[in-house]
Amino acid sequence: MSQPAAPAPLSAPARYVLWGLGLLFLLRVGLLFTTYTNLYPDEAQYWLWSRKLDFGYYSKPPMIAWLIHLSTLTSSAEPFVRLFAPLLHLGAALCLWGAGKRLFNEATGLIAAIIYSLMPGVVLSSAIISTDAPLMFFLSATLYFYSLFLTTSEENTRLKTALGMGLAFGAAFLSKYACLYFLIGAAAHALWVPAVRKSWSLRSLALFVGAFIVLMSPNLYWNATHGFQTVSHTADNANWHWGKLFNPGSLLTFWRDQLGVFGPVPVVLMLLGLAGLVRPRAGLLQRDNSGSKGDHLIGLACLTLPPLIFVSVQALLSRANANWAAAAYVPASVLVAAFVIYGLSVSIRSHTLWRPALAAGVVIQVAIMAVFMLGVASPELTQALGLSNTVKRARGWDTLTQAIIAKAQTDARPTAIAVDNRNVFNAMAYYGRDWFAANPDVPLKAWVREAHPKSQAETEAPLTTEAGPNVLIVSYVDGFIPDIRRDFAATGPGETLKIALDHKRTRDFTLFRGYGFQRAPRDPLTGHPIGSALDTPDDDQ
């Protein structure tokens, strides 16, 4: 009986890159245990979800909560809440290594892994826990299986890779709905390239779709039984208002921010390639046993473009967060690596610029990473490096919570502590977790301004009449205070609480008591409290 062939040894460049990725992973894990920053409010919310496992949550699919539940089995301290982030990004880089090697060659895969790992967006995302980390990992795994699918002609192997692709894509769906851009890109690839279209048989398509449906179904069922909360919240984020559907400034801001997500040099190289300003050398279009590398380049472009196009339109019509197009940079990492390796030229004589440009990009992004990692090591370094504004949302929440608990313990014991902002609720729920668990008679509640809840805090922990005889109000939105007072039979005087964030910034709150909570009527058209001076909800809600 013949023995299976031993795996080929790693090349010297591959060993160096692998060691580099491993060292970077260890540095990122070490940073989690040494940074002084608090959890961001969204991170605190994900931790709160993880205390009660489900198939869906108010604003996101369930993967993030499942991962945090696993990482906090022994401790709920900040480093353990964030522990999966660097691991998932390491996994994504390895998947892109494999995809680039399969579609082009080993050098392409190695450069793709480097580009991805040094992305400024990944540098930040490795230091916090967000839905982007699992999304990027499972999309990278999907792309890896897609690369196997495209480069094999053996039907049984294609069936197995189609199944793996469906499972990875289903997990991406459970991470963030932005994964659906991949379907648009894969469909465009099949329509554009006949060879790709022919590679899909009914059996392979059924396995891919079937595996995807099996994994996504629990979340769809959860949405169906919860009024499609997650889908509605995602639609609300679009924030389309008739009469304001042309915002070129927002579009420019979105593209400026992409320089800080993918990196300035990779963004430029990507746009030059996608705009057709590069001409592939003949070698790129030559066919080999694994198909045309030119076809693979087209496929990566098809996968990269949908998030960029759709989110650009969204930015023009309303607004867009910088990370909303993050799904584009999984295939774009391989795309830019292929541009560099195959010497694509911008003009007749400038093909030699590609590799020096990549080297410059690596230097720039290593510098960005070093500044960020040093900057979150101590408040003094944060201030010295000018990063105070960048990390201000991850500071002061523990101090706020302890100040509120001290207030509740020194004055007459309240029947509840109520806040008017979801970020404050999430942060206090995390940093006051031990105190609230030991004092169940003083629950943390969310004051609901509008006729219907607008966050998970308002949905699951609204301030009620039963908890309202003597409420300690923590108001973050000054404009809401008159509306809050109208919901009580009587209220006490306000007291200002300033929480220092750095040498010059504070987060300001107003504290007062409310007695005899009874919700005042809300306007049936706007949902706002009748007589409110504010006719729009606070953006931070």
Side-chain angles (χ1 to χ4, degrees):
M1 224 178 133
S2 62
Q3 296 294 325
L10 290 173
S11 65
R15 288 197 301 271
Y16 294 145
V17 172
L18 185 60
W19 278 106
L21 293 178
L23 177 60
L24 184 58
F25 169 71
L26 293 177
L27 286 173
R28 285 171 170 168
V29 172
L31 183 66
L32 298 184
F33 286 88
T34 55
T35 181
Y36 70 94
T37 59
N38 290 170
L39 294 186
Y40 284 86
D42 283 346
E43 294 179 282
Q45 176 176 250
Y46 302 147
W47 171 84
L48 197 57
W49 292 352
S50 74
R51 302 305 90 189
K52 182 182 176 183
L53 294 182
D54 209 336
F55 287 115
Y57 298 90
Y58 183 87
S59 60
K60 296 291 189 296
M63 184 63 72
I64 187 75
W66 296 353
L67 293 173
I68 294 174
H69 182 84
L70 288 175
S71 66
T72 56
L73 288 175
T74 58
S75 172
S76 283
E78 290 100 327
F80 294 95
V81 174
R82 294 167 165 166
L83 197 55
F84 263 105
L87 180 62
L88 289 167
H89 285 303
L90 172 63
L94 295 177
C95 288
L96 294 180
W97 179 350
K101 180 178 180 180
R102 190 77 183 189
L103 294 174
F104 300 101
N105 57 26
E106 183 178 72
T108 303
L110 294 176
I111 291 178
I114 293 170
I115 290 173
Y116 177 86
S117 297
L118 297 180
M119 275 174 54
V122 168
V123 170
L124 172 61
S125 183
S126 296
I128 63 175
I129 189 67
S130 73
T131 53
D132 286 333
L135 169 71
M136 302 288 265
F137 168 69
F138 288 116
L139 272 184
S140 298
T142 303
L143 181 60
Y144 174 69
F145 281 112
Y146 190 50
S147 71
L148 295 178
F149 181 84
L150 293 176
T151 54
T152 185
S153 57
E154 206 277 315
E155 181 63 16
N156 285 336
T157 304
R158 274 190 175 161
L159 293 177
K160 293 176 183 177
T161 55
L163 176 62
M165 189 178 4
L167 293 173
F169 189 60
F173 181 89
L174 295 178
S175 303
K176 198 172 184 179
Y177 298 148
C179 72
L180 295 175
Y181 292 124
F182 182 89
L183 285 183
I184 300 173
H189 191 201
L191 289 173
W192 194 322
V193 180
V196 173
R197 192 162 59 249
K198 293 176 183 177
S199 67
W200 283 98
S201 66
L202 287 177
R203 292 175 66 193
S204 60
L205 186 61
L207 279 172
F208 169 75
V209 173
F212 173 53
I213 289 176
V214 167
L215 263 69
M216 72 181 289
S217 294
N219 181 247
L220 289 183
Y221 175 78
W222 182 93
N223 267 285
T225 56
H226 289 76
F228 288 95
Q229 285 181 356
T230 313
V231 177
S232 298
H233 175 83
T234 303
D236 286 343
N237 272 345
N239 196 35
W240 290 3
H241 299 295
W242 295 109
K244 299 181 181 179
L245 296 182
F246 184 69
N247 301 278
S250 175
L251 177 60
L252 291 175
T253 298
F254 167 73
W255 274 102
R256 179 205 66 192
D257 291 345
Q258 298 317 291
L259 301 177
V261 175
F262 195 33
V265 173
V267 164
V268 171
L269 297 182
M270 176 189 71
L271 291 178
L272 288 175
L274 292 175
L277 298 179
V278 294
R279 296 198 317 275
R281 292 168 60 181
L284 187 63
L285 297 177
Q286 291 175 352
R287 292 183 176 274
D288 55 26
N289 291 334
S290 63
S292 167
K293 289 181 171 58
D295 291 348
H296 301 332
L297 189 68
I298 290 171
L300 292 169
C302 288
L303 295 172
T304 298
L305 280 169
L308 297 174
I309 292 172
F310 278 88
V311 180
S312 293
V313 171
Q314 163 64 29
L316 180 64
L317 294 179
S318 177
R319 62 179 180 85
N321 291 344
N323 68 324
W324 284 3
Y329 301 124
V330 167
S333 296
V334 184
L335 185 68
V336 171
F339 288 164
V340 172
I341 289 301
Y342 284 90
L344 306 181
S345 58
V346 179
S347 63
I348 295 175
R349 299 177 181 176
S350 63
H351 67 276
T352 56
L353 293 177
W354 285 93
R355 294 182 189 183
L358 177 69
V362 169
V363 170
I364 290 171
Q365 295 185 199
V366 167
I368 292 172
M369 180 180 68
V371 168
F372 174 80
M373 296 182 78
L374 286 172
V376 297
S378 74
E380 293 75 21
L381 282 172
T382 297
Q383 181 179 337
L385 294 170
L387 295 176
S388 296
N389 190 57
T390 303
V391 301
K392 66 182 180 182
R393 290 187 67 244
R395 300 184 68 175
W397 298 113
D398 54 350
T399 306
L400 167 69
T401 304
Q402 294 309 312
I404 299 302
I405 289 174
K407 183 72 174 176
Q409 291 174 325
T410 55
D411 293 347
R413 191 172 180 84
T415 56
I417 298 174
V419 302
D420 62 356
N421 178 275
R422 71 173 182 88
N423 289 334
V424 178
F425 180 95
N426 295 329
M428 287 187 61
Y430 176 77
Y431 285 103
R433 59 191 183 276
D434 294 335
W435 190 86
F436 286 114
N439 295 270
D441 59 317
V442 187
L444 179 64
K445 295 291 186 178
W447 172 74
V448 183
R449 177 175 182 254
E450 300 197 26
H452 303 289
K454 291 294 184 180
S455 69
Q456 184 144 344
E458 294 183 0
T459 300
E460 297 190 351
L463 181 59
T464 61
T465 304
E466 292 73 21
N470 178 8
V471 181
L472 175 57
I473 304 294
V474 182
S475 177
Y476 187 41
V477 187
D478 284 343
F480 287 176
I481 292 176
D483 295 335
I484 297 174
R485 291 186 183 277
R486 276 194 289 268
D487 279 346
F488 288 90
T491 56
E495 173 188 342
T496 299
L497 173 64
K498 292 182 177 291
I499 302 298
L501 304 181
D502 53 45
H503 62 293
K504 64 179 181 180
R505 295 177 179 85
T506 62
R507 188 176 290 124
D508 300 342
F509 299 87
T510 301
L511 311 183
F512 61 95
R513 291 293 179 127
Y515 306 99
F517 176 77
Q518 186 63 54
R519 254 171 81 85
R522 265 49 177 176
D523 188 298
L525 295 179
T526 66
H528 301 165
I530 293 176
S532 172
L534 297 176
D535 54 12
T536 57
D538 177 64
D539 288 341
D540 206 23
Q541 283 284 85

